Amino acid sequence: MAVSTGMKFIKALLFIFNLIFFLVGMVLIIAGALVQTKLSSYFIFFGSQFNGAAIFLIVIGVIIFVVAFFGCLGAYTENHCMLMAFSVLLGIVFILEVAAAIAAFVFNRKLKDLVRQGMLDSIPKYDDDTEAQQVWNKTQTTLKCCGSSNYTDWQKSARYAATSSVPSSCCKDQTVPDCGTNLSGHPDTIYEHGCADTVIDWSIGNVGIIGGVAAGVAFIQIIGIVLACCLGFAIRKDYSPI
């Protein structure tokens, strides 16, 4: 016995919901991959926290993709058990996403100190670490800044402390020979402000987006859970003996 007209409408809505959910899963997978790629060069500043966030997005995206397929199959076959399993899985994903949103907003509070300390700790590594050199040179050239708080942070590097110098990537015009050497008084050949504030602002914006997306997707999932439960109960009722 087929479900009633009203339940057919709910079934259609559930199909539409799962189609949207498919797309959300794909978006999260792509977003996680982009975050991983974009921030891979800056993990020396952030540590493993952002790496974990990117992987979490990819994993949640894959789970959502699979769960959405499960929901479509359950609605198509009008299988009560499959729809109930879909609702439970959706509820688990919902809890994970709420937890991720809360973690993202809590992490935002710690981000400033984390980035500043991470940048300061990486300066001494600049002397003999190729990765640190590449990351700092790219950051300072791109953001037009120098050091973490300001250019004096480079005094934490044994190489530059000995000569009161900074890397050439701090220079406003890197084509000028020795533009970052023997600095004294008011250096006007280099960027004096630090990179930390710009990096922090960019990071907070991205963490906020991740948390907001997780919260938004979690809210939408409530609709999916309600639709799946309604359809599942209707199927069970219609197929139950009178």
Side-chain angles (χ1 to χ4, degrees), residues 44-226:
I44 192 173
F45 296 155
F46 301 120
S48 60
Q49 287 89 341
F50 267 85
N51 187 35
I55 294 174
F56 181 81
L57 279 178
I58 295 173
V59 171
I60 289 296
V62 171
I63 293 174
I64 286 176
F65 196 83
V66 173
V67 170
F69 175 78
F70 203 72
C72 282
L73 187 60
Y76 178 75
T77 58
E78 298 183 2
N79 186 300
H80 171 265
C81 292
M82 195 172 289
L83 285 170
M84 291 300 100
F86 166 73
S87 298
V88 171
L89 290 173
L90 213 55
I92 293 173
V93 175
F94 170 80
I95 293 171
L96 290 175
E97 287 170 346
V98 170
I102 294 173
F105 288 116
V106 170
F107 183 65
N108 252 357
R109 298 180 181 180
K110 302 179 180 179
L111 193 59
K112 291 183 179 181
D113 292 337
L114 177 70
V115 172
R116 290 186 191 281
Q117 192 59 49
M119 296 182 84
L120 286 174
D121 290 345
S122 66
I123 286 178
K125 300 177 183 178
Y126 189 94
D127 296 346
D128 51 18
D129 188 326
T130 302
E131 180 185 2
Q133 293 171 9
Q134 292 175 343
V135 172
W136 268 110
N137 289 337
K138 178 181 179 181
T139 300
Q140 293 181 148
T141 300
T142 304
L143 302 181
K144 301 183 186 305
C145 55
C146 187
S148 177
S149 298
N150 55 57
Y151 73 97
T152 61
D153 290 330
W154 283 104
Q155 298 306 297
K156 294 182 179 295
S157 164
R159 178 197 299 182
Y160 295 108
T163 56
S164 297
S165 305
V166 295
S168 60
S169 55
C170 283
C171 296
K172 296 177 181 177
D173 185 357
Q174 296 182 29
T175 62
V176 176
D178 301 323
C179 58
T181 60
N182 298 317
L183 300 174
S184 61
H186 186 76
D188 57 1
T189 60
I190 65 170
Y191 301 112
E192 297 179 57
H193 65 278
C195 304
D197 288 340
T198 304
V199 173
I200 288 169
D201 289 343
W202 181 84
S203 303
I204 287 177
N206 281 273
V207 171
I209 290 173
I210 292 174
V213 169
V217 172
F219 177 76
I220 294 173
Q221 283 177 223
I222 296 176
I223 300 174
I225 293 173
V226 172

Side-chain angles (χ1 to χ4, degrees), residues 1-4 7 231-242:
M1 180 180 176
V3 293
S4 64
M7 289 302 104
L231 183 59
F233 288 134
I235 292 172
R236 185 177 182 179
K237 180 180 178 181
D238 288 343
Y239 279 89
S240 296
I242 300 175

